[in-house]
Structures are given as C-alpha cells and as structure tokens.
Amino acid sequence: MEVIPAIDIRDGKCVRLYQGDYARETVFSDDPVSMAVRWASLGARWIHVVDLDGARGGRQANAEIVARIVNSVPAAVQTGGGIRDLETVSATLAAGVNRVVLGTAAVKAPALVRDAMAIASSRLVVSVDARDGIVQLEGWTEPSDRDALSLIRQIADVGVERIVYTDIQRDGTTQGPNFEMYEHIASESSVAVIAAGGISSLEDVRRLADCGVEAAIIGRVLYTGQVHLADAMSAAAAVG
C-alpha cells in the first residue's frame, strides 16, 4: 500500500481542516511548495494536493502553486479542487500533474467523467467524499442525494479505475478511518481505492493495508509529528 502525504491549499497556505469545516482551519505552513519538497525528500512517491479554494468556489484558485509543486519534486502529484470542465482537466494534465481528481463534477456533470476518461484514461481519479454515506459537494459544503456506493458503481461502469474515498466525519480528526467501508468498497468494487480521513497511528496504516486499499492519504498526523512518514511507509510495506 502506498502512503501519500496530503497538501491542502487555502489562501496560498498549507492547511488542514477539521471534518472539512472551513471555519476550523489549522495553518501548518505559508509555503505549500516547501512542504511538498519536504515530503518528497523523506521518501514520498506520491503527493496529494487539494485546492480548497477551488473546491468551494468552483474553479481552480491555486493552479500556479500546484504547477510549482510539480516542477519542484521528483514525486508524482495528483490534484483536485475546482476542476469542473474538460478544458481544466486538459490544462491540469498539461501542467505535468500525474493524476487529475474530479469530485463535485462527477455528480453534477456525469458526462464530464466520460469525456475526461477519453483524454486522461488511468490518470483520472474520482473523489467520493461522504458524510453518513451520502456524497457531499462543493468542497463538502453542499449535500447531494447520492449514496456513495451507488456513485462508485456508476463511475466504475464508465471505466474509472481509481477513487479517493473520504469519510468526512473522520477527516482531520485523527479518530481512525472507517475501516468497514474501505473493506466493503475494496471487496465489492472493481475500482482501486485510495483511503483518506482519520488516520491517527501506525496501527491505522496497517489495518488499512489489510483492508485491501491501494493507498492511504495522510494529513494532520504527519504535520503534528504524531506519525512519521518513514514509519508509515514501513508499516504499510510490512503488511502482506
């Protein structure tokens, strides 16, 4: 299982939110690029970058910072937030990003997923962000009427190979991931699963690896030093 450090950008800074609440923000660095360089220097092979301003506002606001990250690290970069049309998908890929992540658009503009698959193929990821199993949109500020599992089945049917699944109630809380949901998705769906939200310990990393997920995105505990990246990578590698 891959361990992927998270870099969430808001107002040009590297932050973490508590349960996706924009009013409950902790700033960990004024320079997201330097944070990416740090994680890459410690061995990260992938970095997950989210444009929080773009996610809530509907269009990319930190694309220039994402491009600088891509050009500053040897690690692969996947990014999402404010990617709502095919032109932005194409521009993001052209900037050197290895994977582009669609979230809100997968629900509000499902045809975009099919069109994006045509140009991105395996480089397209869909982010399924759920609260109590119901998909949330617009940077987690707007509920939908979509059940997360039905959305996963829908995007798998059009050929999407990989999702990021976030349990919003666990995100930023360090209270542990929703292991049961990850086990269910990994066993019942054809898509590869990247887990996000709630990781608090090396034991959580090991349990996620046992769940059959492809990767785990880790945020707050890396920034606080509660978990060290090298230890998390070793814990994941030791399973299986």
Side-chain angles (χ1 to χ4, degrees), residues 20-210:
D21 187 345
Y22 284 73
R24 304 174 74 180
E25 172 191 89
T26 303
V27 177
F28 283 100
S29 174
D30 290 334
D31 186 356
V33 178
S34 70
M35 292 306 306
V37 170
R38 175 186 175 188
W39 299 135
S41 72
L42 292 174
R45 292 182 291 186
W46 280 90
I47 296 174
H48 181 74
V49 183
V50 178
D51 182 341
L52 290 176
D53 301 299
R56 187 163 69 165
R59 58 184 299 176
Q60 286 180 323
N62 294 287
E64 185 270 336
I65 295 176
V66 176
R68 286 170 51 208
I69 289 174
V70 169
N71 292 323
S72 299
V73 299
V77 175
Q78 62 183 32
T79 191
I83 302 173
R84 308 285 171 84
D85 55 54
L86 200 60
E87 180 181 1
T88 307
V89 171
S90 297
T92 303
L93 293 172
V97 168
N98 300 86
R99 292 178 187 155
V100 61
V101 183
L102 296 181
T104 294
V107 175
K108 292 193 170 183
L112 176 61
V113 177
R114 294 190 294 271
D115 293 341
M117 278 292 297
I119 61 172
S121 188
S122 62
R123 297 172 70 188
L124 179 70
V125 179
V126 171
S127 183
V128 180
D129 309 312
R131 182 179 283 115
D132 293 325
I134 302 300
V135 177
Q136 307 293 303
L137 310 173
E138 305 293 349
W140 305 353
T141 64
E142 177 185 310
S144 76
D145 60 358
R146 290 301 305 273
D147 172 83
L149 294 175
S150 71
L151 177 61
I152 292 169
R153 287 192 291 269
Q154 174 186 312
I155 60 179
D157 286 345
V158 298
V160 172
E161 299 178 11
R162 181 172 289 104
I163 66 167
V164 174
Y165 185 90
T166 304
D167 187 317
I168 295 170
Q169 289 169 293
R170 310 291 183 104
D171 192 68
T173 69
T174 68
Q175 293 176 356
N178 187 342
F179 298 108
E180 296 78 10
M181 178 61 86
Y182 292 120
E183 288 176 344
H184 182 73
I185 298 171
S187 63
E188 298 296 327
S189 174
S190 62
V191 298
V193 180
I194 301 174
I199 293 175
S200 64
S201 66
L202 295 179
E203 180 58 27
D204 286 346
V205 174
R206 286 188 281 265
R207 286 189 63 187
L208 279 174
D210 277 334

